[in-house]
PDB file of all heavy atoms in Angstrom:
ATOM      1  N   HIS B 104      88.584-253.257 165.858  1.00 81.00           N
ATOM      2  CA  HIS B 104      87.872-252.109 165.289  1.00 81.00           C
ATOM      3  C   HIS B 104      88.139-250.872 166.109  1.00 81.00           C
ATOM      4  O   HIS B 104      87.227-250.135 166.437  1.00 81.00           O
ATOM      5  CB  HIS B 104      86.364-252.392 165.258  1.00 81.00           C
ATOM      6  CG  HIS B 104      86.032-253.643 164.510  1.00 81.00           C
ATOM      7  ND1 HIS B 104      85.972-253.674 163.144  1.00 81.00           N
ATOM      8  CD2 HIS B 104      85.792-254.891 164.935  1.00 81.00           C
ATOM      9  CE1 HIS B 104      85.691-254.904 162.765  1.00 81.00           C
ATOM     10  NE2 HIS B 104      85.573-255.663 163.832  1.00 81.00           N
ATOM     11  N   SER B 105      89.391-250.647 166.401  1.00 80.00           N
ATOM     12  CA  SER B 105      89.705-249.532 167.284  1.00 80.00           C
ATOM     13  C   SER B 105      89.658-248.218 166.524  1.00 80.00           C
ATOM     14  O   SER B 105      90.117-248.119 165.398  1.00 80.00           O
ATOM     15  CB  SER B 105      91.095-249.754 167.867  1.00 80.00           C
ATOM     16  OG  SER B 105      91.369-248.771 168.807  1.00 80.00           O
ATOM     17  N   HIS B 106      89.116-247.219 167.161  1.00 83.00           N
ATOM     18  CA  HIS B 106      89.089-245.883 166.563  1.00 83.00           C
ATOM     19  C   HIS B 106      90.094-245.000 167.278  1.00 83.00           C
ATOM     20  O   HIS B 106      90.307-245.150 168.461  1.00 83.00           O
ATOM     21  CB  HIS B 106      87.681-245.300 166.713  1.00 83.00           C
ATOM     22  CG  HIS B 106      87.484-244.043 165.944  1.00 83.00           C
ATOM     23  ND1 HIS B 106      87.110-244.027 164.634  1.00 83.00           N
ATOM     24  CD2 HIS B 106      87.658-242.759 166.293  1.00 83.00           C
ATOM     25  CE1 HIS B 106      87.048-242.776 164.210  1.00 83.00           C
ATOM     26  NE2 HIS B 106      87.365-241.989 165.197  1.00 83.00           N
ATOM     27  N   LYS B 107      90.707-244.086 166.543  1.00 85.00           N
ATOM     28  CA  LYS B 107      91.792-243.320 167.143  1.00 85.00           C
ATOM     29  C   LYS B 107      91.525-241.827 167.093  1.00 85.00           C
ATOM     30  O   LYS B 107      91.069-241.308 166.093  1.00 85.00           O
ATOM     31  CB  LYS B 107      93.071-243.653 166.369  1.00 85.00           C
ATOM     32  CG  LYS B 107      94.306-243.129 167.008  1.00 85.00           C
ATOM     33  CD  LYS B 107      95.494-243.946 166.576  1.00 85.00           C
ATOM     34  CE  LYS B 107      95.942-243.567 165.199  1.00 85.00           C
ATOM     35  NZ  LYS B 107      97.359-243.919 165.031  1.00 85.00           N
ATOM     36  N   TRP B 108      91.823-241.151 168.200  1.00 86.00           N
ATOM     37  CA  TRP B 108      91.805-239.687 168.199  1.00 86.00           C
ATOM     38  C   TRP B 108      93.210-239.203 168.490  1.00 86.00           C
ATOM     39  O   TRP B 108      93.768-239.500 169.534  1.00 86.00           O
ATOM     40  CB  TRP B 108      90.877-239.159 169.303  1.00 86.00           C
ATOM     41  CG  TRP B 108      89.441-239.396 169.061  1.00 86.00           C
ATOM     42  CD1 TRP B 108      88.619-238.679 168.253  1.00 86.00           C
ATOM     43  CD2 TRP B 108      88.629-240.411 169.645  1.00 86.00           C
ATOM     44  NE1 TRP B 108      87.354-239.187 168.303  1.00 86.00           N
ATOM     45  CE2 TRP B 108      87.331-240.260 169.148  1.00 86.00           C
ATOM     46  CE3 TRP B 108      88.877-241.451 170.545  1.00 86.00           C
ATOM     47  CZ2 TRP B 108      86.294-241.092 169.502  1.00 86.00           C
ATOM     48  CZ3 TRP B 108      87.852-242.305 170.902  1.00 86.00           C
ATOM     49  CH2 TRP B 108      86.563-242.107 170.382  1.00 86.00           C
ATOM     50  N   ASP B 109      93.783-238.467 167.572  1.00 85.00           N
ATOM     51  CA  ASP B 109      95.136-237.952 167.771  1.00 85.00           C
ATOM     52  C   ASP B 109      95.037-236.537 168.315  1.00 85.00           C
ATOM     53  O   ASP B 109      94.672-235.619 167.606  1.00 85.00           O
ATOM     54  CB  ASP B 109      95.883-237.967 166.428  1.00 85.00           C
ATOM     55  CG  ASP B 109      97.332-237.564 166.579  1.00 85.00           C
ATOM     56  OD1 ASP B 109      97.700-236.949 167.591  1.00 85.00           O
ATOM     57  OD2 ASP B 109      98.107-237.859 165.666  1.00 85.00           O
ATOM     58  N   LEU B 110      95.360-236.396 169.592  1.00 84.00           N
ATOM     59  CA  LEU B 110      95.188-235.081 170.213  1.00 84.00           C
ATOM     60  C   LEU B 110      96.408-234.187 170.066  1.00 84.00           C
ATOM     61  O   LEU B 110      96.375-233.049 170.484  1.00 84.00           O
ATOM     62  CB  LEU B 110      94.892-235.243 171.714  1.00 84.00           C
ATOM     63  CG  LEU B 110      93.596-235.943 172.074  1.00 84.00           C
ATOM     64  CD1 LEU B 110      93.488-236.033 173.594  1.00 84.00           C
ATOM     65  CD2 LEU B 110      92.412-235.170 171.526  1.00 84.00           C
ATOM     66  N   THR B 111      97.506-234.706 169.505  1.00 80.00           N
ATOM     67  CA  THR B 111      98.697-233.867 169.437  1.00 80.00           C
ATOM     68  C   THR B 111      98.466-232.745 168.449  1.00 80.00           C
ATOM     69  O   THR B 111      97.713-232.866 167.495  1.00 80.00           O
ATOM     70  CB  THR B 111      99.931-234.671 168.997  1.00 80.00           C
ATOM     71  OG1 THR B 111      99.644-235.259 167.731  1.00 80.00           O
ATOM     72  CG2 THR B 111     100.261-235.745 169.994  1.00 80.00           C
ATOM     73  N   GLU B 112      99.154-231.633 168.678  1.00 77.00           N
ATOM     74  CA  GLU B 112      98.935-230.459 167.837  1.00 77.00           C
ATOM     75  C   GLU B 112      99.385-230.713 166.416  1.00 77.00           C
ATOM     76  O   GLU B 112      98.783-230.254 165.469  1.00 77.00           O
ATOM     77  CB  GLU B 112      99.732-229.274 168.390  1.00 77.00           C
ATOM     78  CG  GLU B 112      98.915-228.468 169.350  1.00 77.00           C
ATOM     79  CD  GLU B 112      99.750-227.385 170.011  1.00 77.00           C
ATOM     80  OE1 GLU B 112     100.981-227.495 169.978  1.00 77.00           O
ATOM     81  OE2 GLU B 112      99.150-226.461 170.547  1.00 77.00           O
ATOM     82  N   SER B 113     100.494-231.426 166.279  1.00 72.00           N
ATOM     83  CA  SER B 113     101.017-231.627 164.935  1.00 72.00           C
ATOM     84  C   SER B 113     100.451-232.891 164.310  1.00 72.00           C
ATOM     85  O   SER B 113     100.826-233.269 163.224  1.00 72.00           O
ATOM     86  CB  SER B 113     102.538-231.704 164.972  1.00 72.00           C
ATOM     87  OG  SER B 113     102.923-232.619 165.969  1.00 72.00           O
ATOM     88  N   LYS B 114      99.511-233.530 164.996  1.00 74.00           N
ATOM     89  CA  LYS B 114      98.866-234.724 164.456  1.00 74.00           C
ATOM     90  C   LYS B 114      99.903-235.726 163.973  1.00 74.00           C
ATOM     91  O   LYS B 114      99.798-236.294 162.901  1.00 74.00           O
ATOM     92  CB  LYS B 114      97.934-234.376 163.289  1.00 74.00           C
ATOM     93  CG  LYS B 114      96.763-233.524 163.683  1.00 74.00           C
ATOM     94  CD  LYS B 114      95.625-234.403 164.195  1.00 74.00           C
ATOM     95  CE  LYS B 114      94.468-233.604 164.761  1.00 74.00           C
ATOM     96  NZ  LYS B 114      94.720-233.105 166.111  1.00 74.00           N
ATOM     97  N   GLN B 115     100.924-235.897 164.782  1.00 72.00           N
ATOM     98  CA  GLN B 115     102.031-236.703 164.283  1.00 72.00           C
ATOM     99  C   GLN B 115     101.761-238.188 164.329  1.00 72.00           C
ATOM    100  O   GLN B 115     102.538-238.955 163.819  1.00 72.00           O
ATOM    101  CB  GLN B 115     103.290-236.406 165.087  1.00 72.00           C
ATOM    102  CG  GLN B 115     103.125-236.713 166.546  1.00 72.00           C
ATOM    103  CD  GLN B 115     104.326-236.284 167.365  1.00 72.00           C
ATOM    104  OE1 GLN B 115     104.230-235.474 168.246  1.00 72.00           O
ATOM    105  NE2 GLN B 115     105.458-236.855 167.051  1.00 72.00           N
ATOM    106  N   PHE B 116     100.651-238.611 164.951  1.00 78.00           N
ATOM    107  CA  PHE B 116     100.406-240.041 165.007  1.00 78.00           C
ATOM    108  C   PHE B 116      99.313-240.470 164.043  1.00 78.00           C
ATOM    109  O   PHE B 116      98.850-241.593 164.092  1.00 78.00           O
ATOM    110  CB  PHE B 116     100.068-240.471 166.436  1.00 78.00           C
ATOM    111  CG  PHE B 116     101.206-240.234 167.372  1.00 78.00           C
ATOM    112  CD1 PHE B 116     101.153-239.206 168.290  1.00 78.00           C
ATOM    113  CD2 PHE B 116     102.344-241.013 167.311  1.00 78.00           C
ATOM    114  CE1 PHE B 116     102.217-238.970 169.142  1.00 78.00           C
ATOM    115  CE2 PHE B 116     103.405-240.790 168.161  1.00 78.00           C
ATOM    116  CZ  PHE B 116     103.340-239.766 169.079  1.00 78.00           C
ATOM    117  N   THR B 117      98.902-239.556 163.211  1.00 82.00           N
ATOM    118  CA  THR B 117      97.935-239.951 162.195  1.00 82.00           C
ATOM    119  C   THR B 117      98.577-239.744 160.845  1.00 82.00           C
ATOM    120  O   THR B 117      99.496-238.971 160.690  1.00 82.00           O
ATOM    121  CB  THR B 117      96.675-239.062 162.224  1.00 82.00           C
ATOM    122  OG1 THR B 117      96.877-238.035 163.157  1.00 82.00           O
ATOM    123  CG2 THR B 117      95.455-239.845 162.555  1.00 82.00           C
ATOM    124  N   LEU B 118      98.058-240.429 159.854  1.00 84.00           N
ATOM    125  CA  LEU B 118      98.597-240.301 158.511  1.00 84.00           C
ATOM    126  C   LEU B 118      98.096-239.010 157.871  1.00 84.00           C
ATOM    127  O   LEU B 118      96.994-238.570 158.126  1.00 84.00           O
ATOM    128  CB  LEU B 118      98.151-241.497 157.660  1.00 84.00           C
ATOM    129  CG  LEU B 118      98.750-242.841 158.081  1.00 84.00           C
ATOM    130  CD1 LEU B 118      98.157-243.948 157.238  1.00 84.00           C
ATOM    131  CD2 LEU B 118     100.255-242.822 157.941  1.00 84.00           C
ATOM    132  N   ALA B 119      98.938-238.450 157.019  1.00 81.00           N
ATOM    133  CA  ALA B 119      98.554-237.208 156.349  1.00 81.00           C
ATOM    134  C   ALA B 119      97.433-237.470 155.356  1.00 81.00           C
ATOM    135  O   ALA B 119      97.264-238.585 154.872  1.00 81.00           O
ATOM    136  CB  ALA B 119      99.769-236.647 155.622  1.00 81.00           C
ATOM    137  N   PRO B 120      96.629-236.425 155.059  1.00 78.00           N
ATOM    138  CA  PRO B 120      95.526-236.626 154.108  1.00 78.00           C
ATOM    139  C   PRO B 120      96.009-237.106 152.745  1.00 78.00           C
ATOM    140  O   PRO B 120      95.310-237.873 152.072  1.00 78.00           O
ATOM    141  CB  PRO B 120      94.858-235.253 154.022  1.00 78.00           C
ATOM    142  CG  PRO B 120      95.726-234.313 154.757  1.00 78.00           C
ATOM    143  CD  PRO B 120      96.617-235.083 155.646  1.00 78.00           C
ATOM    144  N   GLN B 121      97.249-236.673 152.338  1.00 76.00           N
ATOM    145  CA  GLN B 121      97.742-237.151 151.043  1.00 76.00           C
ATOM    146  C   GLN B 121      97.912-238.670 151.057  1.00 76.00           C
ATOM    147  O   GLN B 121      97.605-239.355 150.086  1.00 76.00           O
ATOM    148  CB  GLN B 121      99.097-236.523 150.689  1.00 76.00           C
ATOM    149  CG  GLN B 121      99.066-235.026 150.526  1.00 76.00           C
ATOM    150  CD  GLN B 121      99.826-234.351 151.650  1.00 76.00           C
ATOM    151  OE1 GLN B 121      99.550-234.610 152.811  1.00 76.00           O
ATOM    152  NE2 GLN B 121     100.751-233.494 151.308  1.00 76.00           N
ATOM    153  N   THR B 122      98.428-239.180 152.179  1.00 84.00           N
ATOM    154  CA  THR B 122      98.614-240.620 152.282  1.00 84.00           C
ATOM    155  C   THR B 122      97.264-241.335 152.236  1.00 84.00           C
ATOM    156  O   THR B 122      97.112-242.346 151.547  1.00 84.00           O
ATOM    157  CB  THR B 122      99.324-240.975 153.592  1.00 84.00           C
ATOM    158  OG1 THR B 122     100.574-240.312 153.637  1.00 84.00           O
ATOM    159  CG2 THR B 122      99.546-242.468 153.688  1.00 84.00           C
ATOM    160  N   GLU B 123      96.288-240.784 152.962  1.00 84.00           N
ATOM    161  CA  GLU B 123      94.971-241.429 152.974  1.00 84.00           C
ATOM    162  C   GLU B 123      94.426-241.501 151.554  1.00 84.00           C
ATOM    163  O   GLU B 123      93.850-242.502 151.146  1.00 84.00           O
ATOM    164  CB  GLU B 123      94.013-240.629 153.856  1.00 84.00           C
ATOM    165  CG  GLU B 123      94.516-240.379 155.263  1.00 84.00           C
ATOM    166  CD  GLU B 123      93.752-241.175 156.294  1.00 84.00           C
ATOM    167  OE1 GLU B 123      92.555-241.413 156.057  1.00 84.00           O
ATOM    168  OE2 GLU B 123      94.347-241.566 157.299  1.00 84.00           O
ATOM    169  N   LYS B 124      94.647-240.434 150.796  1.00 82.00           N
ATOM    170  CA  LYS B 124      94.135-240.403 149.418  1.00 82.00           C
ATOM    171  C   LYS B 124      94.802-241.503 148.594  1.00 82.00           C
ATOM    172  O   LYS B 124      94.131-242.222 147.840  1.00 82.00           O
ATOM    173  CB  LYS B 124      94.431-239.030 148.809  1.00 82.00           C
ATOM    174  CG  LYS B 124      93.472-238.682 147.702  1.00 82.00           C
ATOM    175  CD  LYS B 124      93.462-237.181 147.441  1.00 82.00           C
ATOM    176  CE  LYS B 124      93.971-236.982 146.011  1.00 82.00           C
ATOM    177  NZ  LYS B 124      94.410-235.661 145.705  1.00 82.00           N
ATOM    178  N   VAL B 125      96.101-241.614 148.744  1.00 83.00           N
ATOM    179  CA  VAL B 125      96.811-242.645 147.993  1.00 83.00           C
ATOM    180  C   VAL B 125      96.281-244.018 148.359  1.00 83.00           C
ATOM    181  O   VAL B 125      96.009-244.869 147.507  1.00 83.00           O
ATOM    182  CB  VAL B 125      98.328-242.569 148.287  1.00 83.00           C
ATOM    183  CG1 VAL B 125      99.037-243.786 147.760  1.00 83.00           C
ATOM    184  CG2 VAL B 125      98.905-241.321 147.685  1.00 83.00           C
TER     185      VAL B 125
END
Side-chain angles (χ1 to χ4, degrees):
Chain B
H104 304 280
S105 186
H106 190 86
K107 190 156 78 156
W108 290 280
D109 185 341
L110 295 179
T111 58
E112 269 174 342
S113 50
K114 295 275 173 281
Q115 60 186 119
F116 297 107
T117 5
L118 293 176
Q121 297 111 307
T122 302
E123 306 251 329
K124 205 160 117 198
V125 168

